Amino acid sequence: MSKSRRYLRTTLGATTAALVLIVSQAPALAGSSALSPDKIHKSVHADLAGDGKAAFWVRLNNSADLSSAKRAVTKTDKARLVYEAKTTHAESSQAELRKLLTAAGAEFTPYWVVNAVQVKGGDRALADTIAKLPQVLGIDPVETVEFPADAAPPAAKPKPEAEAEYKAETKREGKPASKAKAASVLSWNLESINAPRVWNELGTRGENIVVGNIDSGAKFDHPALESQYRGRKANGTVDHNYSWFDPDRLCPTEAPCDDRSYGTGNLGVMVGGEALGFRVGVAPGAKWIAAKACDEVSRCGDSALLASAQWMLAPTDLGGHNPRPDLAPDIVSNSWQTQSWAPWWYQPLVEAWTTAGIFAVFPSGDLWDGGCGTTSGPGAEAANYSVGIYEQDGTISRLSQRGPGANGEIKPNLTAPGVSITTAAPDDTVLLTNGSAIASSHVAGTVALIWSRAPGLIGDIPATRALLDGTAIDVDDTRCGGTAADNNIAGEGRLDAYAAVRDAPVVPAGTLSGTVTGPTPPTDPTGRIGGVTVKVAGPVTRTTTTAGDGTWSLSRLPAGQYQVGVRHYGFRDSAVTATVVADQTATAHVVLTPSRTSIVSGTITVGGQPRAGAVVSVLGTSVFARTNANGRYQLQVAHGAHTLRTVSSSRCENTVYRPINVSGRLTDNAELPSRVDAFGYMCTPGPNNYLQGLEKVTPDSNFGVNITLPFPFTLYGQSHTTARVSSFGYINFASNYTIGLNTKLPSYQNPNGSLFAYWRYLSLDNRSGIYTGTYGTAPDRKYVVEWRSVHFLRDKTKRLSVSAVIGEDGTVGYHYRGIDHPDEAGASTTVGLENHNGTAGFEYSFNSPDALRNGQSLTFKLREPAG
């Protein structure tokens, strides 16, 4: 059966650190590092060393002052002020760079939403000159984000037996739906979230709300979408200015197109009306606009995504001119995602959207049998609202990726229908489709319903998130952590559109604002503190964060008395009370008192031996330290109850969480337990003793070569003397499957019974090869399979060598050479081993850009019996 996935993969390195919008004002910490003196990324260095020319990003300071926009009341004012602040800052900070590039005759494109400039065809001298500019933070590679080639959404005929057809299906091609025999058939998903009750009882269908979609485009004249398109005028004519954006001019005309079906399908669920007798949309009264950021094979360049996101903040005419922030959509649905954490440009982008009052929705990600910790960026980030999948019977789908997300955040935020969903298809029919992008489209449509009925909430992102969360139907499933009410499988629970719209405040309301200060000024002469969490509890409960100047404000609060609680690491909790009066602004100022701190230290060991490089952190803060060569660490920790998290420098050990209560100097030691899979395999890291293959073998037309081992080798209790070596970095003992698209482990999907030394799309050329060879004498022989100087698909600058060593004693070793880039270090790659039916396996890493390093060695073996 094919893998049902809907995600994007970064083909060049992306930033590996999780990006958050709230920056702690805690003191500088041990273990933090400054920007590298060399601002030019290694990939750009490599590109420039090739033919002397390269395309690259020049990244500048993103410190545009958005404080005025954050204080604005209306969404229109918010969007205008964000646009003005961002463009003014970019014009000023990019002036010298633009002048330099113009004088050099370089082709370049400036962006204001993230304050960056893309340069095309720059040479080494130009890059070196740019890097010397003090306002330049870095020079980064141009990246491509893409769907795998076989990731088209599965589809079938929408009829009662469609679910059974889908489960039995093995192909990925979408099938057009047969025409319904009865008019206005309502798909199960709309009934499940109670959308018809909103339409019929609460009298709203999303009128006066605009939803934007960044995806593969749209079939603008589809029967289910044509009347909802903002570009269609009352007289039936169309004007695509300000309603459609095609940054790379991929469509044959200026009209919207969709050559991949995703965009049309997601828009259908958000705002679609009726087609072929099927009612498909959550908010059929809302309008839509769209940007096409992905091409016909679903490659999505970072420049296209950035341009599309920037356009959403200030739509332009078809020529890209005359921006209109007043025409920004109310909601933006992002159906693409990355398998790693968000790239460098995502933090300022999402902050700009949110500050402009735009509600952004993201998928949590799709995997067959997605396990704990599989949710991916950008939905994994705390600041981003992500959606998982539930099925028709209310169970959380096996497709739905689980949390926790970045920094231990509960993810997804909630779940929505995402399996066998009837929606619009680009050929004017309807089809069934699956995925968390479809699930997140239900949430985008629900926000349209909420804001249509309660316009006072428009642009109030925290209040809307709280409303969605508070009305979701709890799903008690804590297998991946969390509570019965909020966990890493279902988030806050299953979406209930009716409850969310019903509970939206339509009563007169007021505003509550204030400042948070401290006795010693960490960032401001007045002592104001940014990044502080403020929780307001009363008739409703809202949470916000102070701006950099310590100010905060919550509008549209129902009248009544509120308790304002303030919590910030390094300070004592504080609270005041305030009364909100309709149509007035109340204030609540809080002065924080610093907490006392003491030293917490200890030793981290593995198997009784000190472990260097382990990261010990205080959960929920930015306080951390790395252990030294003796396994020792030391932290300065505020008094009170905390949890220490210890992460090994190797993925061969489990992370350990230990509660501590600090009231003075404290010693806390931890032993990190080895990870062991269901069968008993474990791994150990070690220094590299790289063994090369001795004889080159030639893969056949199916990207593999059959081999005969010089001795029997036992894997998960089954003995083998033959295997198939895949060009894609693994050795298969169970079948002849050769698949480049990697998955998590274990998984019942093929290939099973394999050693995954470095499973991803790899290519061979005249510099590459697969080599095999035997070392030693019985009974201690070792058989080597080496992928030498292999390169990434469509990127010959990314080369590395991987050696898999099969021991006669049943051990397995993986060794790595030539890793000098995050993408080579495990992004879009699976490393581990698996049994013959996918019921047990050891996953060392999956799509983790920090999992491997140059010269690394891993040894897998069965755990020795106790005693």
Side-chain angles (χ1 to χ4, degrees):
M1 183 178 291
S2 299
K3 300 173 180 63
S4 178
R5 299 164 180 264
R6 179 77 161 72
Y7 62 78
L8 297 162
R9 173 170 295 143
T10 303
T11 58
L12 295 179
T15 301
T16 59
L19 302 176
V20 294
L21 301 185
I22 300 175
V23 180
S24 173
Q25 298 298 328
L29 308 168
S32 61
S33 60
L35 182 68
S36 169
D38 186 358
K39 298 178 183 178
I40 304 177
H41 195 282
K42 291 180 181 180
S43 292
V44 180
H45 274 300
D47 289 343
L48 293 170
D51 59 6
K53 297 282 187 177
F56 51 79
W57 285 99
V58 181
R59 178 164 42 93
L60 297 95
N61 192 310
N62 262 305
S63 59
D65 183 4
L66 302 181
S67 59
S68 295
K70 291 177 180 177
R71 289 193 293 268
V73 175
T74 69
K75 179 181 171 296
T76 299
D77 285 342
K78 289 175 182 287
R80 175 181 57 82
L81 291 168
V82 167
Y83 173 75
E84 291 174 355
K86 284 280 188 177
T87 53
T88 300
H89 178 70
E91 289 281 349
S92 173
S93 60
Q94 294 176 15
E96 185 177 1
L97 172 62
R98 295 183 192 181
K99 183 177 179 180
L100 186 157
L101 292 171
T102 300
E107 182 183 355
F108 67 94
T109 304
Y111 293 80
W112 49 264
V113 70
V114 294
N115 199 18
V117 175
Q118 188 181 81
V119 179
K120 296 181 179 179
D123 59 20
R124 181 54 185 264
L126 180 61
D128 287 340
T129 302
I130 293 171
K132 293 175 183 177
L133 297 177
Q135 64 270 37
V136 171
L137 299 182
I139 297 178
D140 294 284
V142 172
E143 299 180 334
T144 300
V145 180
E146 68 183 63
F147 295 109
D150 68 343
K157 297 178 180 180
K159 52 187 180 182
E161 60 268 35
E163 182 72 13
E165 288 184 6
Y166 163 68
K167 292 179 179 178
E169 216 169 76
T170 58
K171 292 187 177 181
R172 304 289 299 185
E173 293 86 31
K175 299 178 182 178
S178 58
K179 188 172 182 178
K181 295 180 179 180
S184 299
V185 174
L186 198 63
S187 185
W188 75 266
N189 51 302
L190 299 179
E191 295 277 17
S192 177
I193 67 169
N194 291 314
R197 292 191 66 189
V198 178
W199 309 334
N200 300 328
E201 297 179 27
L202 302 179
T204 181
R205 294 170 177 258
E207 292 82 358
N208 303 315
I209 302 298
V210 178
V211 178
N213 191 38
I214 298 177
D215 206 315
S216 62
K219 184 71 162 60
F220 79 98
D221 54 356
H222 189 286
L225 296 174
E226 59 181 346
S227 64
Q228 290 87 345
Y229 179 42
R230 190 173 71 178
R232 186 169 294 279
K233 306 305 178 184
N235 62 4
T237 62
V238 292
D239 180 358
H240 301 304
N241 291 290
Y242 301 104
S243 294
W244 167 246
F245 184 57
D246 184 8
D248 292 333
R249 305 289 180 177
L250 298 175
C251 293
T253 69
E254 291 186 336
C257 71
D258 183 5
D259 43 27
R260 200 60 177 157
S261 82
Y262 298 128
T264 300
N266 288 310
L267 280 168
V269 170
M270 283 184 267
V271 301
E274 184 175 311
L276 299 179
F278 291 90
R279 297 166 69 184
V280 297
V282 175
K287 299 293 184 181
W288 65 267
I289 62 175
K292 182 175 176 59
C294 306
D295 62 20
E296 72 279 2
V297 291
S298 295
R299 286 191 302 260
C300 316
D302 53 7
S303 59
L305 287 168
L306 271 174
S308 298
Q310 182 169 279
W311 181 85
M312 287 291 174
L313 275 164
T316 65
D317 58 27
L318 289 172
H321 308 300
N322 305 308
R324 293 276 305 274
D326 59 305
L327 293 179
D330 301 293
I331 302 149
V332 173
S333 176
N334 298 271
S335 52
W336 62 275
Q337 67 175 103
T338 57
Q339 280 298 93
S340 58
W341 299 122
W344 59 265
W345 43 267
Y346 216 85
Q347 176 188 5
L349 172 61
V350 174
E351 181 186 24
W353 274 346
T354 302
T355 306
I358 297 173
F359 192 102
V361 189
F362 301 86
S364 68
D366 314 334
L367 284 176
W368 281 104
D369 297 316
C372 300
T374 56
T375 190
S376 49
E381 299 292 338
N384 302 337
Y385 202 83
S386 69
V387 186
I389 307 166
Y390 74 79
E391 302 200 25
Q392 188 166 0
D393 62 1
T395 60
I396 305 304
S397 173
R398 294 162 62 187
L399 295 174
S400 188
Q401 290 182 225
R402 273 74 162 155
N407 299 322
E409 286 289 327
I410 295 292
K411 287 289 175 175
N413 292 79
L414 49 67
T415 59
V419 174
S420 294
I421 307 302
T422 304
T423 189
D427 59 357
D428 287 342
T429 64
V430 293
L431 52 71
L432 290 180
T433 190
N434 315 299
S436 58
I438 282 291
S440 63
S441 296
H442 288 79
V443 173
T446 299
V447 175
L449 295 175
I450 294 171
W451 285 3
S452 178
R453 185 168 190 262
L457 280 181
I458 294 175
D460 192 337
I461 312 303
T464 306
R465 290 178 64 155
L467 194 61
L468 291 167
D469 294 347
T471 56
I473 302 168
D474 289 344
V475 176
D476 185 356
D477 193 337
T478 59
R479 288 174 294 170
C480 292
T483 66
D486 190 11
N487 53 69
N488 285 313
I489 290 181
E492 295 281 356
R494 299 195 307 272
L495 173 67
D496 187 337
Y498 175 78
V501 177
R502 178 199 61 201
D503 291 354
V506 292
V507 296
T511 299
L512 183 58
S513 62
T515 58
V516 177
T517 57
T520 56
T523 58
D524 186 278
T526 64
R528 297 183 177 188
I529 309 173
V532 178
T533 299
V534 179
K535 184 176 182 180
V536 175
V540 297
T541 299
R542 305 273 178 82
T543 301
T544 188
T545 305
T546 59
D549 61 358
T551 61
W552 61 273
S553 182
L554 290 170
S555 59
R556 292 174 287 278
L557 291 174
Q561 190 173 59
Y562 290 84
Q563 183 178 57
V564 181
V566 177
R567 172 168 292 183
H568 195 55
Y569 178 77
F571 296 88
R572 298 175 185 173
D573 291 354
S574 184
V576 298
T577 58
T579 300
V580 173
V581 178
D583 301 319
Q584 296 183 24
T585 298
T587 56
H589 304 300
V590 178
V591 178
L592 294 179
T593 302
S595 299
R596 294 183 59 189
T597 63
S598 293
I599 292 175
V600 177
S601 60
T603 301
I604 305 302
T605 55
V606 176
Q609 299 300 311
R611 173 52 57 89
V615 176
V616 183
S617 60
V618 180
L619 197 64
T621 77
S622 57
V623 177
F624 76 98
R626 294 183 185 274
T627 56
N628 61 20
N630 298 317
R632 295 283 299 170
Y633 74 92
Q634 181 173 299
L635 300 168
Q636 193 80 24
V637 183
H639 284 195
H642 303 284
T643 297
L644 285 187
R645 176 174 56 190
T646 304
V647 181
S648 177
S649 54
S650 164
R651 293 168 181 259
C652 292
E653 290 83 40
N654 285 315
T655 297
V656 170
Y657 297 84
R658 295 170 64 88
I660 59 172
N661 199 315
V662 181
S663 58
R665 193 178 184 100
L666 179 67
T667 298
D668 190 85
N669 304 319
E671 169 76 11
L672 299 180
S674 296
R675 292 175 53 210
V676 183
D677 74 6
F679 191 83
Y681 277 98
M682 57 188 295
C683 77
T684 56
N688 195 9
N689 52 350
Y690 194 95
L691 285 181
Q692 290 185 316
L694 304 174
E695 179 182 0
K696 189 173 184 178
V697 295
T698 303
D700 55 34
S701 59
N702 290 320
F703 305 102
V705 58
N706 296 323
I707 60 171
T708 300
L709 302 176
F711 49 78
F713 170 69
T714 301
L715 179 66
Y716 286 93
Q718 296 193 24
S719 181
H720 302 276
T721 56
T722 61
R724 181 171 176 80
V725 177
S726 168
S727 299
F728 301 139
Y730 64 88
I731 305 169
N732 190 349
F733 296 93
S735 67
N736 288 328
Y737 278 93
T738 303
I739 299 173
L741 179 61
N742 64 309
T743 66
K744 287 188 63 62
L745 301 177
S747 170
Y748 70 89
Q749 297 293 322
N750 284 309
N752 299 127
S754 297
L755 304 178
F756 298 103
Y758 194 87
W759 182 19
R760 71 169 291 162
Y761 279 111
L762 298 172
S763 293
L764 305 174
D765 58 13
N766 56 8
R767 294 172 52 188
S768 312
I770 297 176
Y771 294 79
T772 63
T774 304
Y775 288 82
T777 59
D780 298 314
R781 288 172 289 180
K782 297 181 184 298
Y783 185 77
V784 178
V785 175
E786 180 191 16
W787 295 265
R788 186 180 300 174
S789 193
V790 292
H791 66 82
F792 290 0
L793 188 67
R794 295 188 295 274
D795 188 358
K796 292 187 177 182
T797 67
K798 304 292 188 305
R799 289 185 181 270
L800 74 161
S801 296
V802 180
S803 174
V805 180
I806 301 171
E808 195 169 3
D809 60 355
T811 61
V812 176
Y814 299 154
H815 311 281
Y816 302 90
R817 276 183 177 175
I819 294 177
D820 59 4
H821 186 280
D823 200 33
E824 298 169 342
S828 305
T829 304
T830 297
V831 177
L833 57 163
E834 187 185 49
N835 72 354
H836 302 75
N837 58 12
T839 58
F842 192 107
E843 181 184 274
Y844 179 79
S845 65
F846 171 71
N847 292 348
S848 302
D850 59 350
L852 304 171
R853 63 183 183 276
N854 191 40
Q856 184 172 3
S857 172
L858 297 170
T859 300
F860 296 85
K861 64 179 181 179
L862 284 171
R863 178 175 54 184
E864 297 180 1

